[in-house]
Each structure stands twice: as structure tokens, then as C-alpha cells.
Amino acid sequence: MTLPVRQPSPYGHFLWGTAISGHQSEGNNLNSDIWLAEHVQPTVFSQPSRDACDSYHRYAEDISIVADLGLNCYRFGIEWSRIEPEPGQFSAAELDRYARMIDLCVERGIAPMLTYSHFTVPRWFAARGGFEVPDSADLFARYAEVVTRRLGEHVVAATPFNEANIQRLMRTLLPNPAARPVIDAMLAACAKQCGSARFSSLLFAEVEKTEAHLVDAHRKATQAIKAGPGNFPVGVSLTMQDIQGIGENNLAGAVIDSLYGPWLDEAANADFIGVQTYTRVRVDAQGHVSPPADAEMTEAGYEYYPQALGSTIRFAAKRTGKPVYVTESGIATSHDTRRVAFIDAALNELQNCIADGIDVKSYIHWSLLDNFEWSSGYSQHFGLVEVDPTTFRRTPKPSAHHLGAHARRSLEAAR
Ligand code: BGC
């Protein structure tokens, strides 16, 4: 596919990338809230993350794979709990490791895109109340400031949070009242282990208790990042599924309001909106409608529906008036031919959006590696690259080369 030339950049006209998060790939993220939650009883995690993909040690190999595929962007998360393992105590060595990742990206012609917090927070932060306490925003902004001072120079784009509306997604699209008592008991067990009265995880907290502070944290962190060094766009990343209303008096509008809350307005005041889309959700006047009986389902339990990307890009651009970075698009499947088909269909949607004049700046596929899929453990395969769980040997799948070929063609055509 050929995309129009937009702006001079050492990385070309369009960012073709793949993404990963720290906790899901690095392994042994011992100081994070999620590591603790994986190990208490009861827990909602089907298995612990353990070594994950050992990207903590094998990041150079990962970056080489991205470069060899022909992609020009790598979106990765940095782990707050490694960088600030105790309040106010910042690790120069851990920051150096992320700096080496960025240097390697630059050497290989890959644009580094940073996520400051991909769902995880330090254990100490959760134990003092997480984002339920007002000064949490200042602590997050302080971390963002320290990180940017060390890493900002070569960063190409960033989002403070991955999917700032994640708590809303859980409540709106994945309501599971039976899970709440288990989550509460898990968090109580975490608090006990920490010897604290509470334990609040970003991933499991309730919207009403955290959202005002999350918005404040997002704004303050954006300001801290903008102070530099580096001069790159900072956006709002959102989980955005294609909400389709069916029939009269359908509840699509209410579901959309409930999924996004204040975050579309926040994105309208940011440099860009980061669109992260996986499927569609159909809603009638009663509520959610199951996928059609003959629908193909992915390993993640939802409908295979790559067309969702086009609608969410259009919705995001219209509602915010901002450039769109597709920061995640992907499919969980063990049948790689379905991933190839998914990529083609999603890119077709993206190309139509660009042809209609929408300013889309990236396509970043989730994920580089088969990795730790949160409470589902290692049972879902989102990766372009297979990872052997004991040797950590990486084997790119045909879909990885397929995406790389799209990128090469597009980047060469724009030269
Ligand atoms: C998250 C990833 C997750 C992926 C697939 C995204 O919403 O950012 O951490 O692995 O979805 O479920």
C-alpha cells in the first residue's frame, strides 16, 4: 500500500510499527503491583508472568527483529516500578537500560515511541492508594519528568498512559460482577503482604475513585514531558472498539459515553489521539448483542472484525479534530493466516481513511511477541513472533514478514 508523503522525518512519512509493554515482555517485574497480584491468593491471574519473553535481557534481539522486518517504529512501555523502586529513589541503571534501547532503535532507523505506564504501577504506589489519592498525579508527573530528562532526546512520540480509559472498558464492555469479589479479595491480600491498609492497582480500581486523579496525572505528566528534552507529540491512548447500534432506541450512545467518559475531550486538547482497536461491539435497546452465530471468534473470545479499525479512526478524528496514531491493532490467534488476513483488512480500512483526508500517522501492530496476556496468562497469541517459553528463541511468523513487506513497499514508494 502507498501512503502519501506528509512531513520530512528521519523515519520516513509514516510510522509502521509494532508494540510491546514492559510487564508483558520483560519478565520478573518484581516491584510492580501486578507481579504481587499474580502471586497472592486468591488471584484473577491464570498463571504468573515469570520470565515473560525475557525482553529485559533480549531487547537488542527484539529491536533487531523489528528493523530486519523493515518496520520503522517500535512502541514500548517503560516500567515505573523498575525506574522508581522506592518513592523518590530513581535507578540510574534502569534508566540507562531504557536509554540503550532508544539508542539501538535510533541506530537501526526505528522511531522509539514511549508509553510511560502500560497498566502497571510500583508496588509502593499501589500500597499508598494508587490513583485513588489526590497527590498521585504529582508523583506520576515527577516520574515522567525524571524519565523525560534522561530519555526524551530521541523519542518520536509518547503517551503517558496506555489506554487511559481501561477501567471504563472493563466496566462497560467486559462487565463481570462475579469477578469483583475475587478482585477485591486479591487486592486485600496484596495490601496484607505490603502491610498497608489498602492496595489500589490502576488496572483493577474503580472509575469513580480514580478518574479525576488519572485525568490530573495525564495533564501534569504531559506538561512534564513537554518540558523536554526532546520535542515530540504527546497523546492520549484509548481503547476504542467499534460500537454499533442496532435497531431503534439502541443504547450505542450511552455505551460510547460510558466507554470514553472525559477522555475524548482530553484527547482534543492533546497532540494526538492513540487509537487501539480490536473488535466491534453491537448494542440494541436492551444492551449488548452477541456476535452473529456464524461469526469467527478470536482466541481472546471476541469477534474477528478488522473493519472496526476504520470506524474507530473516523470516530476518533471527528470527535477530537486531532491527528490519529493507530497505536494498537491486532488479533489473538494460533492460525497465522488469519493474522495475515486481519492485517490486510485493517490496512485497507486505514488506507480508506487516509484517502478521505484523515490525518493518520501510524499503524502499530499489537504485538511484536507472543507475550503475557494479563489475567489470561500465555494462552492468547497476539504476536508477530513466536517465543519459546524456555529457550526464549524468537521465530518470526509469516504475518511478521507480511507486515514488513507492506511497510517496505510504502516507505520505498515515498522515497
Ligand atoms: C493492551 C495490551 C493487551 C492487548 C490485547 C490492549 O488493550 O494495551 O496490553 O495485551 O490489548 O488484549
Side-chain angles (χ1 to χ4, degrees), residues 21 24 75 118-119 162-163 166 239 276 278 302 328 366 371-374 380 382:
S21 88
Q24 292 176 274
R75 171 178 178 254
H118 194 123
F119 296 161
N162 176 66
E163 299 181 343
I166 184 62
T239 167
Q276 311 204 169
Y278 288 85
Y302 44 66
E328 282 185 27
W366 182 271
N371 61 38
F372 180 69
E373 181 53 29
W374 306 111
Q380 298 179 11
F382 278 95

Side-chain angles (χ1 to χ4, degrees), residues 194-216:
C194 294
S196 62
R198 54 190 170 180
F199 192 88
S200 177
S201 259
L202 199 170
L203 203 46
F204 298 111
E206 288 169 57
V207 176
E208 286 68 23
K209 293 187 181 157
T210 56
E211 191 162 76
H213 305 138
L214 279 173
V215 168
D216 193 26

Side-chain angles (χ1 to χ4, degrees), residues 3-318:
L3 296 169
V5 178
R6 288 183 190 289
Q7 59 191 23
S9 141
Y11 302 105
H13 66 302
F14 187 84
L15 296 176
W16 287 93
T18 180
I20 201 79
S21 88
H23 189 80
Q24 292 176 274
S25 69
E26 288 175 353
N28 299 299
N29 191 19
L30 311 180
N31 261 318
S32 69
D33 60 332
I34 299 297
W35 179 273
L36 181 56
E38 289 164 19
H39 289 89
V40 293
Q41 280 304 324
T43 178
V44 294
F45 290 88
S46 61
Q47 63 188 125
S49 52
R50 301 176 56 146
D51 289 325
C53 309
D54 192 29
S55 292
Y56 185 80
H57 299 105
R58 291 163 207 263
Y59 62 87
E61 196 183 336
D62 295 343
I63 292 167
S64 263
I65 293 172
V66 177
D68 292 345
L69 289 174
L71 303 175
N72 66 350
C73 178
Y74 191 34
R75 171 178 178 254
F76 57 92
I78 50 176
E79 275 302 314
W80 183 4
S81 65
R82 292 194 198 275
I83 292 171
E84 191 179 359
E86 296 293 338
Q89 193 177 299
F90 291 90
S91 164
E94 296 290 352
L95 280 165
D96 281 352
R97 201 187 67 86
Y98 289 117
R100 286 198 293 278
M101 285 182 73
I102 291 175
D103 288 347
L104 269 179
C105 285
V106 173
E107 268 169 38
R108 299 295 311 265
I110 295 172
M113 191 183 287
L114 278 199
T115 309
Y116 282 68
S117 168
H118 194 123
F119 296 161
T120 49
V121 299
R123 220 187 247 223
W124 60 262
F125 182 81
R128 73 191 290 290
F131 284 104
E132 291 180 32
V133 289
D135 68 347
S136 52
D138 298 315
L139 293 177
F140 186 63
R142 177 178 71 178
Y143 154 71
E145 184 192 331
V146 171
V147 165
T148 310
R149 244 190 277 127
R150 177 69 182 91
L151 305 180
E153 195 185 350
H154 297 296
V155 170
V156 162
T159 56
F161 293 115
N162 176 66
E163 299 181 343
N165 60 333
I166 184 62
Q167 296 166 359
R168 287 182 168 271
L169 174 95
M170 309 266 227
R171 180 174 81 173
T172 310
L173 301 186
L174 306 169
N176 181 2
R180 196 70 232 177
V182 186
I183 290 173
D184 289 342
M186 174 181 79
L187 297 175
C190 290
K192 194 166 168 214
Q193 283 248 348
C194 294
S196 62
R198 54 190 170 180
F199 192 88
S200 177
S201 259
L202 199 170
L203 203 46
F204 298 111
E206 288 169 57
V207 176
E208 286 68 23
K209 293 187 181 157
T210 56
E211 191 162 76
H213 305 138
L214 279 173
V215 168
D216 193 26
H218 203 286
R219 289 182 187 169
K220 287 180 167 156
T222 300
Q223 243 180 355
I225 297 168
K226 289 279 186 188
N231 180 17
F232 50 89
V234 181
V236 176
S237 128
L238 296 181
T239 167
M240 302 192 73
Q241 313 312 325
D242 179 8
I243 313 294
Q244 300 182 350
I246 299 180
E248 272 182 27
N249 302 322
N250 69 67
L251 300 173
V255 169
I256 287 172
D257 289 347
S258 166
L259 178 59
Y260 300 116
W263 292 106
L264 292 168
D265 291 339
E266 289 304 310
N269 288 316
D271 293 331
F272 68 88
I273 177 159
V275 168
Q276 311 204 169
T277 303
Y278 288 85
T279 191
R280 70 169 169 180
V281 175
R282 302 186 312 150
V283 197
D284 66 10
Q286 268 70 51
H288 291 187
V289 175
S290 303
D294 59 351
E296 176 179 346
M297 304 299 279
T298 69
E299 275 178 1
Y302 44 66
E303 189 182 352
Y304 174 96
Y305 195 75
Q307 303 91 307
L309 186 63
S311 343
T312 50
I313 291 174
R314 287 172 203 280
F315 175 86
K318 191 162 169 216

